[in-house]
Amino acid sequence: MRTIRGVGASSGIAIGEIAVRGDAGRAVERRLIDDPTAEVARFRAARDAAVTQLGRLRDRVEDEFGDDKASLFDAHRMMLRDPGYTAGIEKLITSEGVNAEFAVDAVAERFAAMFAAMDDSYMRARAADVRDVSRRVIDVLEGGSGDMAGGGGSHGDDGRHIILAEDLAPSETVRLDRSAVLGFVTAGGSANSHTAILARTMGLPAVIGIGDAFDTADDGHVAVIDGTSGMVVIDPDEATLAEYRGRKAKYEDHLRLLRELKGRSTETRDGRKIRLYANIGRPSDVTAALANDAEGIGLFRSEFLYLESEDWPTEEFQFEAYRQVARRMGDRPVIIRTLDIGADKRVGYFDLEHEDNPALGYRAIRICLTRPEIFRVQLRALLRASAYGNIAIMLPMITSVQEVRDAKRIIEETKEELRGEHIGFNEHIRMGIMIETPASVIMADELAAEADFFSIGTNDLTQYTLACDRQNPNLGRFADPHSPAVLRMIRMAVEAAHRHGIWCGICGELGADPSLTDLFLEIGIDELSVPPAGILPLRGAIRSSTVIRDSPVIRNGAPDPS
């Protein structure tokens, strides 16, 4: 028995024989050609054929998995049409007189290396997409049919097997025969890759990133893969097999229960309704929110648009991101937190000075109010996007009424600018406040008079209430989010909100803590916003709870109590 640890990319357990898949990344021959102009034309024809193939693949994926997943192949087609990508290939053909296959492969590796060197894991994962689309063009140039899926042979008594491969491209993954494939393990890959996303959509357990543990000699051996923990066991003994068979049965029963909860209302046994929203950081995260039946977006961390940019994100760039999320969510609320840079989230082009204690320093609303030129760009984008969906604005790190009034003044001035330019927006857009400092709790009655809703950020509220740096690993035993002081702060904020007829939710990590669900219901929390994967389990916990209390009367766009 041999145990390998990788990265869990798609939950679930698979038990079966391994089918090793040959590496699709074969070497591309470099040849000198006599007619660069003809070779460029040959490349363009192959590229156009690849775009057509991706269009057919998109239609197939849309029929089976829906438009959300199919949009991946729209992105792949855009990659093939990218001017920089195309120009790089054509320049290499003409300047060095090389064959189109070699030029495509060389430029693809250059682009892939650029993505792979980025700090953000999501952007690093795009390297696989560049290689995938380029491999498709090369396949066309070499006379292939465009069917790049291939696959292992028939293993096991029922012909079902676990694929073991160096890597799998998204276009290969979506073509896997789910009647024959139990799951897959790859040497490379990323949990943020489109391959991993498709595996989750297809319900295929997957473990990625096993690296040098990849061994073609494992072909035909029995294996267990755990897509949740990232564990792979080759040639398991009987005790291990029995353990994983039991886990697999429990997991499948859990999935069955969760499927039953999709589309069901989030309400307690005694009829008290709670809104269950998702926390996201990027527009692409909406896919997971919708897949898990989120009733809205309770926290869109807009700072990721800044963290993932090498320069100031423009108004147009932000507008498109916010509009995309609003459109995909339809009528469901989308609460977008304004810029929360500073503390542990540093961006080089902000030129922020070094601070000995950045958690207590120049961050979030303090930057927005002292550098309003930054704030106005974001507000213009947010307001413009509000014409396309149910967007609300949320202000972070509030400590005083004056901060809220100053922010509201800038919002109103920005609205007036847009009116003067005849640009539409939601004139009645809601504005909420994050409760994440003791000052905001103490001032909650006065703040509630200025806001349409509260959302409690329990991570920072715990840090500031207990005076414990959340980044300091030595303070784990002291930074207890279950502290009575923290829970009392939460109760005070909820009560103040309800006294003034507004709703109060939680968007911090405590919202997904099942040990506190009953307490939050008893306190009177109106909304919980959690990571997408936590939505359905939390709905199950709420539906099994009974809370004897009257639902609060609330106003100003609160979660619908009916």
Side-chain angles (χ1 to χ4, degrees):
M1 186 170 78
R2 186 167 106 255
T3 300
I4 301 167
R5 181 169 291 282
V7 177
S10 179
S11 297
I13 292 171
I15 303 172
E17 288 189 11
I18 292 172
V20 172
R21 185 189 189 86
D23 181 14
R26 60 191 181 278
V28 177
E29 181 185 3
R30 183 182 189 273
R31 302 191 314 273
L32 296 178
I33 47 97
D34 297 325
D35 188 347
T37 301
E39 196 70 5
V40 166
R42 180 170 166 261
F43 157 67
R44 290 179 180 175
R47 178 201 59 194
D48 293 344
V51 169
T52 300
Q53 290 174 5
L54 286 168
R56 289 197 295 266
L57 186 56
R58 186 209 188 284
D59 293 341
R60 171 181 163 182
V61 172
E62 182 178 20
D63 289 342
E64 191 168 359
F65 303 115
D67 185 67
D68 285 345
K69 300 301 179 295
S71 63
L72 154 65
F73 296 100
D74 289 332
H76 278 196
R77 288 192 290 180
M78 288 175 64
M79 282 184 186
L80 287 179
R81 295 189 179 110
D82 180 80
Y85 174 83
T86 299
I89 292 168
E90 294 182 359
K91 181 179 179 182
L92 194 59
I93 292 171
T94 55
S95 65
E96 297 191 18
V98 295
N99 56 312
E101 295 91 338
F102 179 82
V104 171
D105 186 59
V107 171
E109 284 306 310
R110 189 166 73 231
F111 272 71
M114 178 185 70
F115 281 117
M118 292 183 178
D119 291 335
D120 179 70
S121 59
Y122 178 83
M123 297 306 295
R124 286 199 301 272
R126 303 290 70 78
D129 295 322
V130 174
R131 292 190 177 105
D132 187 17
V133 297
S134 300
R135 192 182 307 158
R136 179 174 295 277
V137 176
I138 293 170
D139 186 63
V140 175
L141 286 165
E142 293 179 342
S145 65
D147 181 4
M148 299 157 53
S154 177
H155 287 63
D157 295 337
D158 60 358
R160 305 190 75 196
H161 53 270
I162 293 168
I163 287 178
L164 178 63
E166 286 279 6
D167 209 347
L168 286 174
S171 58
E172 294 173 309
T173 305
V174 81
R175 280 193 170 96
L176 294 176
D177 181 357
R178 280 175 288 167
S179 67
V181 176
L182 296 165
F184 64 81
V185 180
T186 61
S190 159
N192 294 309
S193 70
H194 285 126
T195 293
I197 293 169
L198 286 168
R200 294 191 283 269
T201 302
M202 297 164 71
L204 285 176
V207 175
I208 61 173
I210 66 167
D212 293 341
F214 173 82
D215 188 347
T216 57
D218 288 327
D219 187 66
H221 288 236
V222 173
V224 174
I225 66 172
D226 184 342
T228 303
S229 69
M231 190 72 72
V232 180
V233 183
I234 309 292
D235 296 324
D237 57 30
E238 284 303 317
T240 302
L241 272 177
E243 177 188 352
Y244 274 100
R245 283 174 180 144
R247 290 190 193 180
K248 185 172 185 289
K250 287 182 180 179
Y251 179 77
E252 289 173 350
D253 187 53
H254 177 66
L255 284 183
R256 178 184 59 79
L257 290 173
L258 293 185
R259 282 193 294 269
E260 291 175 0
L261 292 173
K262 286 193 74 170
R264 305 290 292 274
S265 64
T266 307
E267 62 181 290
T268 61
R269 286 180 174 177
D270 54 330
R272 171 129 187 275
K273 290 189 177 181
I274 307 295
R275 289 304 183 196
L276 203 45
Y277 294 171
N279 296 337
I280 66 170
R282 306 170 180 85
S284 58
D285 294 341
V286 173
T287 298
L290 291 172
N292 286 279
D293 205 27
E295 297 167 25
I297 301 298
L299 172 61
F300 181 171
R301 298 180 175 94
S302 69
E303 58 271 14
F304 278 91
L305 301 181
Y306 293 77
L307 290 165
E308 294 173 357
S309 297
E310 294 183 0
D311 202 350
W312 301 100
T314 64
E315 176 186 331
E316 203 63 29
F317 175 81
Q318 294 189 62
F319 164 65
E320 288 296 340
Y322 304 143
R323 179 171 66 167
Q324 180 183 342
V325 173
R327 277 180 161 171
R328 293 186 66 190
M329 292 303 294
D331 293 334
R332 305 183 211 199
V334 175
I335 299 173
I336 301 177
R337 179 173 71 188
T338 57
L339 179 62
D340 189 9
I341 290 294
D344 58 320
K345 291 172 283 192
R346 312 290 289 184
V347 179
Y349 55 83
F350 270 70
D351 293 325
L352 300 179
E353 295 180 0
H354 171 76
E355 295 178 296
D356 291 334
N357 196 341
L360 300 180
Y362 188 49
R363 60 173 297 195
I365 196 66
R366 297 167 184 175
I367 293 176
C368 291
L369 295 181
T370 56
R371 298 174 72 175
E373 70 281 2
I374 299 173
F375 196 25
R376 289 179 193 277
V377 171
Q378 181 173 40
L379 290 175
R380 284 179 61 91
L382 281 169
L383 289 168
R384 289 172 57 198
S386 72
Y388 297 88
N390 188 7
I391 285 178
I393 296 172
M394 184 160 66
L395 306 175
M397 286 301 297
I398 294 298
T399 60
S400 72
V401 172
Q402 191 59 50
E403 289 169 346
V404 179
R405 290 175 178 167
D406 288 344
K408 289 170 73 174
R409 174 180 51 78
I410 297 173
I411 292 171
E412 289 304 316
E413 290 171 355
T414 307
K415 287 181 178 180
E416 193 57 37
E417 284 180 8
L418 294 176
R419 292 186 193 104
E421 297 169 24
H422 305 290
I423 296 175
F425 61 90
N426 178 8
E427 290 280 0
H428 306 291
I429 189 170
R430 292 169 297 142
M431 193 279 296
I433 293 171
M434 285 198 72
I435 301 295
E436 49 192 336
T437 65
S440 62
V441 175
I442 298 300
M443 299 298 296
D445 278 292
E446 289 84 351
L447 292 172
E450 300 285 341
D452 296 314
F453 62 89
F454 283 168
S455 187
I456 302 173
T458 55
N459 304 345
D460 271 327
L461 185 61
T462 300
Q463 171 175 244
Y464 296 129
T465 300
L466 302 181
C468 285
D469 181 357
R470 58 194 265 200
Q471 304 298 318
N472 189 334
N474 297 321
L475 297 178
R477 61 175 290 196
F478 303 104
D480 178 14
H482 292 195
S483 161
V486 175
L487 299 178
R488 189 173 297 181
M489 287 275 186
I490 293 171
R491 183 187 292 272
M492 291 168 63
V494 173
E495 291 174 349
H498 292 167
R499 277 195 296 272
H500 292 268
I502 68 172
W503 62 268
C504 184
I506 291 177
C507 62
E509 289 182 17
L510 280 191
D513 187 335
S515 69
L516 292 174
T517 301
D518 284 343
L519 174 62
F520 290 153
L521 294 172
E522 186 275 325
I523 285 174
I525 285 291
D526 304 298
E527 174 254 12
L528 292 169
S529 189
V530 300
I535 289 170
L536 291 175
L538 190 54
R539 180 173 294 161
I542 292 170
R543 287 178 63 86
S544 66
S545 295
T546 301
V547 180
I548 308 300
R549 66 185 304 279
D550 293 330
S551 295
V553 177
I554 44 184
R555 63 165 173 84
N556 291 340
D560 181 3
S562 61

